[in-house]
Amino acid sequence: MRDTRRTASTLVLIGGLTLAACGTNAADSSPSSASPRAAAASSLPVTPAISASSTNQHAAFTVKEFDSFDSTSDSGWTATFQVLSSPAGNILVNPGKYDREVADFVKSIGGVDAIMITHGLCDKLRGLAAAMKTNAKVVAYIHQLGQPYLHDPKRNCSVEEGTSRTTDAKTSTFEESTTTIAGHRVQLIHLHGHTEGSTIFWFPDDNTMIGGDTVMSTQIGSASHPGGNEASRTAPIAKFKKLTFPSDARRYNGHDASTTYAELMKSNSDLA
Ligand SMILES: [Zn+2]
């Protein structure tokens, strides 16, 4: 199945996570400067998934899902994305659009504290600028290897989609690590394959996984994009198989239906 679509300058060390806020112009984020980091990141040892707390169910996210597509292109991919809300904080994941429907919902929950992007393909970015403009204090996060895609219409596949889309939205970058974002403990698990910077988000205290387009219900996402190749799909498959999560963990992704972790391990042909 073809994939369906798609800053500050301080170094902050929080609970093992390095949030390196980067410049936002294309020169700062050139593919050539990212390549050595890609090699280093993909060779990281597997870090065991941090455990879910047994006393945190009261804090679990409420998850609202939206669908998006690019109305300016006949070939645009449809996508699914999420808004995670809780008393501790709210997170917008992969803003595929930020229209009245999404804006009204976000307003109803008091705004979002963070935007988290699993990877830099265009179907995950269409609503990013509008979301950041509307939520003035929000911080948007993406893996350092995904940030260059925001400025490169070929890499983010918008050229393929016929829209040639880039964004100057200011994003902060992360590497594989564990940290707290919007009041929620989160493990950022880098699964290079679908794209160089593809990362899944595991919120152990919310028993919730955001699989992006990497860990989807039926397969590990395609890697046949600029900057990737199908051979590189074997690495994220092997890495994810070494991790374990609670069987009832909720898992959401960028295109198909959500499942529990137990259901995923039966329905995903790459993992079963
Ligand atoms: Zn994707």
Side-chain angles (χ1 to χ4, degrees):
M1 182 178 68
R2 182 71 175 159
D3 162 39
T4 49
R5 291 308 144 122
R6 339 222 200 302
T7 333
S9 292
T10 38
L11 187 69
V12 185
L13 201 59
I14 312 171
L17 162 69
T18 304
L19 290 179
C22 298
T24 57
N25 60 49
D28 287 346
S29 306
S30 66
S32 59
S33 66
S35 297
R37 292 178 181 272
S42 62
S43 64
L44 284 172
V46 172
T47 302
I50 53 177
S51 301
S53 163
S54 60
T55 59
N56 54 26
Q57 292 308 306
H58 67 282
F61 285 126
T62 296
V63 180
K64 171 75 171 177
E65 291 200 281
F66 294 90
D67 291 324
S68 70
F69 66 97
D70 198 320
S71 60
T72 63
S73 167
D74 292 336
S75 60
W77 294 299
T78 58
T80 302
F81 65 99
Q82 295 82 29
V83 179
L84 316 176
S85 59
S86 81
N90 303 326
I91 301 172
L92 171 60
V93 176
N94 291 333
K97 67 177 181 181
Y98 203 77
D99 60 3
R100 175 64 63 86
E101 178 191 15
V102 180
D104 285 350
F105 177 76
V106 168
K107 186 177 181 181
S108 76
I109 60 172
V112 290
D113 305 288
I115 297 172
M116 297 180 68
I117 303 166
T118 57
H119 60 291
L121 296 192
C122 61
D123 62 328
K124 306 297 178 273
L125 307 172
R126 296 174 191 133
L128 177 60
M132 295 188 72
K133 185 176 182 179
T134 305
N135 298 270
K137 296 182 179 178
V138 76
V139 180
Y141 301 98
I142 188 169
H143 193 281
Q144 62 179 3
L145 298 179
Q147 193 184 54
Y149 289 52
L150 275 60
H151 315 292
D152 186 333
K154 187 172 181 180
R155 279 193 161 200
N156 68 33
C157 286
S158 59
V159 165
E160 183 178 332
E161 194 179 79
T163 57
S164 192
R165 187 185 298 273
T166 62
T167 176
D168 291 327
K170 298 183 185 304
T171 53
S172 293
T173 60
F174 58 73
E175 297 179 352
E176 177 162 282
S177 52
T178 299
T179 189
T180 298
I181 292 178
H184 293 265
R185 193 163 58 123
V186 57
Q187 187 171 8
L188 308 167
I189 303 172
H190 181 209
L191 293 174
H192 180 154
H194 178 61
T195 68
E196 293 160 288
S198 288
T199 301
I200 67 170
F201 309 141
W202 167 233
F203 296 90
D205 302 323
D206 303 278
N207 205 28
T208 298
M209 179 193 304
I210 301 296
D213 295 357
T214 298
V215 181
M216 297 196 290
S217 298
T218 58
Q219 68 172 65
I220 297 297
S222 166
S224 58
H225 303 103
N229 62 75
E230 281 301 291
S232 66
R233 288 177 72 248
T234 58
I237 293 169
K239 184 170 179 176
F240 189 83
K241 280 184 171 181
K242 293 179 181 176
L243 302 173
T244 57
F245 301 89
S247 59
D248 64 348
R250 299 179 298 167
R251 184 203 52 87
Y252 301 87
N253 52 50
H255 295 294
D256 53 12
S258 62
T259 66
T260 64
Y261 172 70
E263 291 167 341
L264 167 76
M265 298 307 286
K266 295 177 182 175
S267 64
N268 185 303
S269 60
D270 291 316
L271 300 173

